[in-house]
Amino acid sequence: MTMTTLPAMRTTDATVTGGKFTLEAADIAVVVLYFVFVLGVGTWIGASLMSSNVGSGLFIGLAGSGAAGGIAVGGFEWNASWVLVALGWIFVPVYIAAGVVTMPEYLRKRFGGQRIRIYMSVLSLILYILTKISTDIFSGALFIRVSLGWDLYLSTVVLIAVTAVYTIAGGLTAVIYTDALQTVIIVIGAFVLMFIAFDKVGWYEGLVEQYEKAVPNITVPNTTCHLPRTDAFHMFRDPVTGDLPWPGLIFGLTVLATWAWCTDQVIVQRSLSAKNMSHAKGGSVLGGYLKILPMFFIVWPGMISRALFPDEVGCVDPKECEQICDASVGCSNIAYPKLVVELMPAGMRGLMIAVLMAALMSSLTSIFNSSSTLFTMDIWQRMRPHASERELMVVGRVFILVMTVLSILWIPIIQSANSGQLFDYVQSITSYLAPPITALFIMAIFWKRVNEQGAFWGLMVGLAVGVVRMVMEFVYGTPSCGQEDTRPALLKDVHYLYFALILLGVSALVITVISLCTPPIEDKHLVRLTWWTRHSKEPRVELYDPWAKAHEGTQDESGSRDPSESPSQEEPPATSPCWKKAAMWLCGLSGQAEVKLSVEEKQALEKKLTNIEEEPLWRNVCNINALILLTVNVFLWGFFA
């Protein structure tokens, strides 16, 4: 085969020491100034939704999958626009009307009991470790390793230390306040790199021509895995042989996206913090527009990186790949950091490092806060119903540390999974565990007949089926280039997006059958908990919850705690040593007395927080913008189909 040799790309502004790039003064200045400036900035929900999802894992994973397979992976981002509209118009109104703070709390109010809530919390925490924290840490550390030459685990420690201080000192409020600016910096920096990269490759026509010829010099004999896909520039691919079959990309992906955007605590908490219903809808629309952009500033640059550096980004020989990126299954994950290191000038390179660091911190901080909330409110309080606020704050911080350690231990698995493609790894794991949750939330909101027994056993059966597929995936692994595929048909013939549809159907069937065979929940318990009752003004009779009753047992009729648990006894003495005050500050404890509200004040506050009424003007503005967003989205799907 005739090889096309591309001119070696050089960056004249970079300082090279021992074959590794180092930052110049301009780069360091940009990084420092950015993180100083970001401390005092804040704005809107939509940018926060985008920034929570756009971590370094998305940059590394999406660009890597684009380098390996082409533009179809961008469909994962475009699909999100539709689901974000569903979040703002369908799911959030029900959540706000129900007066819930966490997603497991909604299920507890909807179905009663505790076993579904506990299951949801535990599964969410497992998913955070497997698909969020570990992947973000790995991708952020990989970016620093490629850019600066640091050891992967040294990079991990530095990232965790910085993010921990950011999380502990600021909490969710600081996250939302800084996310908007970080989103702007992310988009601007990524677009600058996109234009530089397109200029180097000869714009779109040059990309098409050079990507088709992006073959590494060292290949595996008698194989074709080193060749770029012939359908790399098509969104819709063969439903049987395609790496991302179009039915799976349209329907199976929607199952995963509904879980990620409409039922996941990390994302939904941003919308629940909106000032009003129109504010939440506007945030969803803005987030939907922003999710159109990663195709252009992440996926295409990933493809350009393979076109410019086929020997490194497109390597297929296991020994060669091991030398390049410490992973024998492939090095597509280095596509984006390789582009930054090679193409960005001094100063701008520092900006991109700041962008990726900011994206990592935003994503991790959101997950840390959500994980802490889920564990303390849904698990720890069940074991210790009378735990003080101080105890809950400290336990939450300790739990974050435990999750971080577990996530770091999982990184070696991520490096070798799914042919080294980080994005495919995340989506496949989600396909095995999330569809039963998607089925449950959709049915809980739209069908009053679903009861606790049907919901619980639907989740259990779905979990069992999904775990079997996931375990098989890890046991058999993915064959490397040139190896015979001896996996069972369930693995090699059933794409994970198709499996997500199958698992959704199985879970929904079990939920339906068992719900119809057991007594229904009375209507008085479902007020403002379903789509059909969200505007009801009737008082809701809460389902009996033995744990909640026990937890409230120490409170009198006015809502005050028993004197033995008075908040004043939790206050640190005025003469507390400095080290103790500093430790309390790191755990988010101010030492100020808790403000007590009367019964009337609590009722008024609850009414305000559960109000989903909108002003006609802003309701229409949001509706029109949502229609425009979806029209643009459909056009893009059709244009690149």
Side-chain angles (χ1 to χ4, degrees), residues 423-439:
F423 198 77
D424 268 9
Y425 161 80
V426 172
Q427 301 305 326
S428 62
I429 295 296
T430 305
S431 297
Y432 308 147
L433 299 178
I437 301 175
T438 300

Side-chain angles (χ1 to χ4, degrees), residues 24 115 168 191 224 228 364 399 444 447 464 504 575:
E24 296 182 0
R115 57 183 181 175
I168 293 173
F191 265 110
T224 59
L364 283 178
F399 182 70
W447 193 30
L504 179 83
T575 57

Side-chain angles (χ1 to χ4, degrees), residues 377-444:
M377 301 300 292
D378 297 333
I379 298 177
W380 188 260
Q381 275 198 322
R382 186 174 187 271
M383 297 185 292
R384 288 182 56 81
H386 307 307
S388 65
E389 180 184 355
R390 180 185 301 177
E391 178 182 338
L392 294 177
M393 293 293 287
V394 173
V395 168
R397 303 312 189 203
V398 172
F399 182 70
I400 289 174
L401 179 62
V402 173
M403 289 190 71
T404 302
V405 172
L406 293 176
S407 299
I408 293 174
L409 295 176
W410 188 253
I411 287 178
I413 304 296
I414 297 176
Q415 286 182 284
S416 59
N418 294 81
S419 300
Q421 293 188 42
L422 180 65
F423 198 77
D424 268 9
Y425 161 80
V426 172
Q427 301 305 326
S428 62
I429 295 296
T430 305
S431 297
Y432 308 147
L433 299 178
I437 301 175
T438 300
L440 176 58
F441 271 87
I442 292 175
M443 297 179 74

